[in-house]
Amino acid sequence: MAIADDLKKTLTDPTPLYFAAGTADLAVQQAKKVPGLIEQLRAEAPARIEAVKNTDPKVVQEKAKEAQEAVTAKVAEVLGAIDPKKLGEAAQDLALRGVGVAAEYAVRAKETYDKVAEHGEQAVRAWRGELSEEIVDIAEVVEPEPAAEASAEAPAATSAEEKPAARKTTARKSTAKKTVAATPGDES
Protein backbone atom coordinates (compact mmCIF):
# COMPACT_ATOMS: atom_id res chain seq x y z
CA MET A 1 0.00 0.00 0.00
CA ALA A 2 2.84 2.41 0.75
CA ILE A 3 4.22 2.01 -2.77
CA ALA A 4 0.79 2.67 -4.27
CA ASP A 5 0.36 5.75 -2.07
CA ASP A 6 3.81 7.03 -3.03
CA LEU A 7 3.10 6.40 -6.70
CA LYS A 8 -0.27 8.17 -6.46
CA LYS A 9 1.33 11.13 -4.69
CA THR A 10 4.08 11.31 -7.31
CA LEU A 11 1.68 11.18 -10.23
CA THR A 12 -0.69 13.80 -8.80
CA ASP A 13 2.00 16.27 -7.70
CA PRO A 14 1.97 19.23 -10.13
CA THR A 15 5.35 20.60 -8.98
CA PRO A 16 7.41 18.92 -11.76
CA LEU A 17 5.05 20.33 -14.36
CA TYR A 18 5.30 23.77 -12.80
CA PHE A 19 9.09 23.37 -12.79
CA ALA A 20 9.01 22.58 -16.52
CA ALA A 21 6.73 25.55 -17.19
CA GLY A 22 8.99 27.81 -15.12
CA THR A 23 12.06 26.57 -16.96
CA ALA A 24 10.39 27.21 -20.31
CA ASP A 25 9.31 30.70 -19.23
CA LEU A 26 12.81 31.55 -18.00
CA ALA A 27 14.29 30.19 -21.24
CA VAL A 28 11.98 32.45 -23.25
CA GLN A 29 13.00 35.43 -21.12
CA GLN A 30 16.67 34.66 -21.73
CA ALA A 31 16.09 34.08 -25.45
CA LYS A 32 14.66 37.59 -25.71
CA LYS A 33 18.09 38.91 -24.68
CA VAL A 34 19.93 37.13 -27.53
CA PRO A 35 19.39 39.77 -30.26
CA GLY A 36 20.99 42.44 -28.05
CA LEU A 37 23.98 40.21 -27.35
CA ILE A 38 24.40 39.49 -31.05
CA GLU A 39 24.39 43.21 -31.82
CA GLN A 40 26.97 43.81 -29.08
CA LEU A 41 29.24 41.06 -30.46
CA ARG A 42 28.78 42.38 -33.97
CA ALA A 43 29.88 45.84 -32.81
CA GLU A 44 32.89 44.54 -30.81
CA ALA A 45 34.08 41.89 -33.30
CA PRO A 46 36.13 44.12 -35.64
CA ALA A 47 38.15 45.59 -32.74
CA ARG A 48 38.84 42.14 -31.27
CA ILE A 49 39.85 40.67 -34.61
CA GLU A 50 42.19 43.60 -35.21
CA ALA A 51 43.75 43.14 -31.75
CA VAL A 52 44.43 39.46 -32.50
CA LYS A 53 45.94 40.33 -35.89
CA ASN A 54 48.27 42.91 -34.30
CA THR A 55 49.49 40.55 -31.55
CA ASP A 56 53.07 39.41 -31.96
CA PRO A 57 53.31 35.58 -31.79
CA LYS A 58 56.76 35.76 -30.15
CA VAL A 59 55.33 37.75 -27.21
CA VAL A 60 52.58 35.16 -26.75
CA GLN A 61 55.14 32.32 -26.84
CA GLU A 62 57.30 34.06 -24.23
CA LYS A 63 54.35 34.56 -21.89
CA ALA A 64 53.33 30.91 -22.31
CA LYS A 65 56.87 29.76 -21.54
CA GLU A 66 56.98 31.94 -18.39
CA ALA A 67 53.65 30.57 -17.21
CA GLN A 68 54.82 26.98 -17.81
CA GLU A 69 58.00 27.58 -15.79
CA ALA A 70 56.03 29.13 -12.93
CA VAL A 71 53.62 26.19 -12.80
CA THR A 72 56.47 23.66 -12.91
CA ALA A 73 58.25 25.42 -10.04
CA LYS A 74 55.08 25.55 -7.93
CA VAL A 75 54.32 21.83 -8.51
CA ALA A 76 57.87 20.88 -7.52
CA GLU A 77 57.55 22.99 -4.36
CA VAL A 78 54.24 21.39 -3.38
CA LEU A 79 55.44 17.84 -4.07
CA GLY A 80 58.59 18.43 -2.01
CA ALA A 81 56.58 19.60 1.01
CA ILE A 82 54.24 16.60 1.17
CA ASP A 83 54.29 14.65 4.45
CA PRO A 84 52.59 11.23 4.25
CA LYS A 85 50.94 11.57 7.70
CA LYS A 86 49.61 15.00 6.94
CA LEU A 87 48.45 13.76 3.56
CA GLY A 88 46.12 11.19 5.21
CA GLU A 89 44.70 13.77 7.58
CA ALA A 90 44.22 16.21 4.72
CA ALA A 91 42.43 13.52 2.71
CA GLN A 92 40.01 12.85 5.57
CA ASP A 93 39.41 16.54 6.09
CA LEU A 94 38.85 17.01 2.38
CA ALA A 95 36.37 14.11 2.30
CA LEU A 96 34.37 15.58 5.20
CA ARG A 97 34.36 18.97 3.58
CA GLY A 98 33.18 17.35 0.37
CA VAL A 99 30.22 15.78 2.17
CA GLY A 100 29.32 19.12 3.71
CA VAL A 101 29.59 20.90 0.38
CA ALA A 102 27.49 18.22 -1.30
CA ALA A 103 24.78 18.59 1.34
CA GLU A 104 24.84 22.37 0.93
CA TYR A 105 24.51 22.04 -2.84
CA ALA A 106 21.60 19.62 -2.40
CA VAL A 107 19.80 22.17 -0.22
CA ARG A 108 20.50 24.94 -2.73
CA ALA A 109 19.30 22.74 -5.58
CA LYS A 110 16.03 22.04 -3.75
CA GLU A 111 15.55 25.76 -3.06
CA THR A 112 16.22 26.59 -6.70
CA TYR A 113 13.86 23.83 -7.82
CA ASP A 114 11.13 25.22 -5.57
CA LYS A 115 11.72 28.80 -6.82
CA VAL A 116 11.54 27.73 -10.47
CA ALA A 117 8.42 25.65 -9.76
CA GLU A 118 6.81 28.66 -8.05
CA HIS A 119 7.74 30.83 -11.03
CA GLY A 120 6.23 28.19 -13.30
CA GLU A 121 3.02 28.11 -11.29
CA GLN A 122 2.73 31.90 -11.61
CA ALA A 123 3.49 31.67 -15.33
CA VAL A 124 0.81 29.02 -15.81
CA ARG A 125 -1.70 31.16 -13.91
CA ALA A 126 -0.78 34.14 -16.09
CA TRP A 127 -1.12 32.05 -19.25
CA ARG A 128 -4.50 30.76 -18.14
CA GLY A 129 -5.66 34.27 -17.21
CA GLU A 130 -4.61 35.68 -20.56
CA LEU A 131 -6.32 32.83 -22.37
CA SER A 132 -9.57 33.27 -20.45
CA GLU A 133 -9.51 37.03 -21.09
CA GLU A 134 -9.11 36.37 -24.82
CA ILE A 135 -12.04 33.94 -24.76
CA VAL A 136 -14.22 36.50 -22.96
CA ASP A 137 -13.26 39.17 -25.50
CA ILE A 138 -14.16 36.85 -28.39
CA ALA A 139 -17.44 35.88 -26.71
CA GLU A 140 -18.40 39.53 -26.27
CA VAL A 141 -17.77 40.21 -29.95
CA VAL A 142 -19.68 37.15 -31.14
CA GLU A 143 -22.59 37.29 -28.67
CA PRO A 144 -23.98 40.42 -26.99
CA GLU A 145 -24.32 40.42 -23.22
CA PRO A 146 -27.54 38.76 -21.99
CA ALA A 147 -27.97 41.47 -19.34
CA ALA A 148 -28.58 44.06 -22.07
CA GLU A 149 -31.38 41.94 -23.57
CA ALA A 150 -32.99 41.28 -20.16
CA SER A 151 -33.04 44.96 -19.28
CA ALA A 152 -35.01 45.69 -22.46
CA GLU A 153 -37.86 43.51 -21.17
CA ALA A 154 -40.04 44.35 -18.15
CA PRO A 155 -37.66 44.34 -15.15
CA ALA A 156 -40.34 43.80 -12.51
CA ALA A 157 -41.79 40.71 -14.19
CA THR A 158 -38.35 39.16 -14.71
CA SER A 159 -37.18 39.65 -11.14
CA ALA A 160 -40.47 38.34 -9.74
CA GLU A 161 -40.18 35.19 -11.85
CA GLU A 162 -36.53 34.54 -10.98
CA LYS A 163 -36.82 34.78 -7.19
CA PRO A 164 -39.28 31.91 -6.62
CA ALA A 165 -37.41 29.69 -9.08
CA ALA A 166 -34.16 30.34 -7.25
CA ARG A 167 -35.76 29.45 -3.94
CA LYS A 168 -37.14 26.18 -5.25
CA THR A 169 -33.78 25.20 -6.75
CA THR A 170 -32.00 26.00 -3.53
CA ALA A 171 -34.52 23.98 -1.52
CA ARG A 172 -34.07 20.97 -3.80
CA LYS A 173 -30.31 21.08 -3.59
CA SER A 174 -30.28 21.34 0.19
CA THR A 175 -32.79 18.48 0.46
CA ALA A 176 -30.68 16.32 -1.82
CA LYS A 177 -27.58 17.07 0.21
CA LYS A 178 -29.32 16.18 3.45
CA THR A 179 -30.53 12.89 2.02
CA VAL A 180 -27.06 11.99 0.71
CA ALA A 181 -25.40 13.05 3.95
CA ALA A 182 -27.90 11.09 6.05
CA THR A 183 -27.51 7.83 4.10
CA PRO A 184 -23.80 7.13 4.81
CA GLY A 185 -24.13 8.15 8.47
CA ASP A 186 -27.03 5.75 9.20
CA GLU A 187 -25.00 2.65 9.86
CA SER A 188 -25.89 2.29 13.56
Side-chain angles (χ1 to χ4, degrees):
M1 282 299 216
I3 294 173
D5 292 340
D6 288 345
L7 186 59
K8 183 178 179 181
K9 181 180 176 184
T10 301
L11 293 176
T12 58
D13 184 17
T15 305
L17 297 175
Y18 288 139
F19 177 79
T23 303
D25 190 52
L26 291 172
V28 168
Q29 289 176 5
Q30 293 301 317
K32 290 179 180 177
K33 296 178 183 178
V34 170
L37 294 173
I38 290 173
E39 285 300 317
Q40 180 183 359
L41 289 175
R42 200 176 285 169
E44 294 175 359
R48 290 185 180 200
I49 291 172
E50 193 62 34
V52 170
K53 284 182 181 179
N54 293 334
T55 304
D56 186 17
K58 291 183 181 182
V59 173
V60 174
Q61 286 177 348
E62 289 176 16
K63 288 184 179 181
K65 190 179 260 187
E66 290 173 6
Q68 182 182 9
E69 289 173 359
V71 168
T72 304
K74 192 68 172 173
V75 168
E77 179 183 330
V78 169
L79 290 177
I82 292 178
D83 182 18
K85 290 181 182 180
K86 289 183 180 179
L87 185 62
E89 292 173 3
Q92 280 183 331
D93 186 46
L94 184 62
L96 289 174
R97 286 183 189 176
V99 170
V101 168
E104 182 179 340
Y105 283 142
V107 169
R108 286 184 185 174
K110 175 66 173 146
E111 290 172 355
T112 302
Y113 176 81
D114 290 341
K115 285 179 184 177
V116 172
E118 183 178 325
H119 178 81
E121 185 175 3
Q122 292 171 356
V124 167
R125 286 183 180 166
W127 298 336
R128 286 179 178 168
E130 292 171 8
L131 182 61
S132 64
E133 288 173 6
E134 290 175 11
I135 291 171
V136 169
D137 292 342
I138 292 170
E140 288 176 355
V141 170
V142 173
E143 184 176 318
E145 291 185 24
E149 294 173 4
S151 64
E153 298 174 4
T158 306
S159 62
E161 291 175 2
E162 289 178 6
K163 288 182 182 177
R167 288 182 186 158
K168 289 180 183 176
T169 306
T170 307
R172 288 180 189 164
K173 287 182 181 178
S174 63
T175 306
K177 288 180 184 177
K178 289 178 182 176
T179 305
V180 173
T183 304
D186 286 337
E187 293 181 0
S188 49

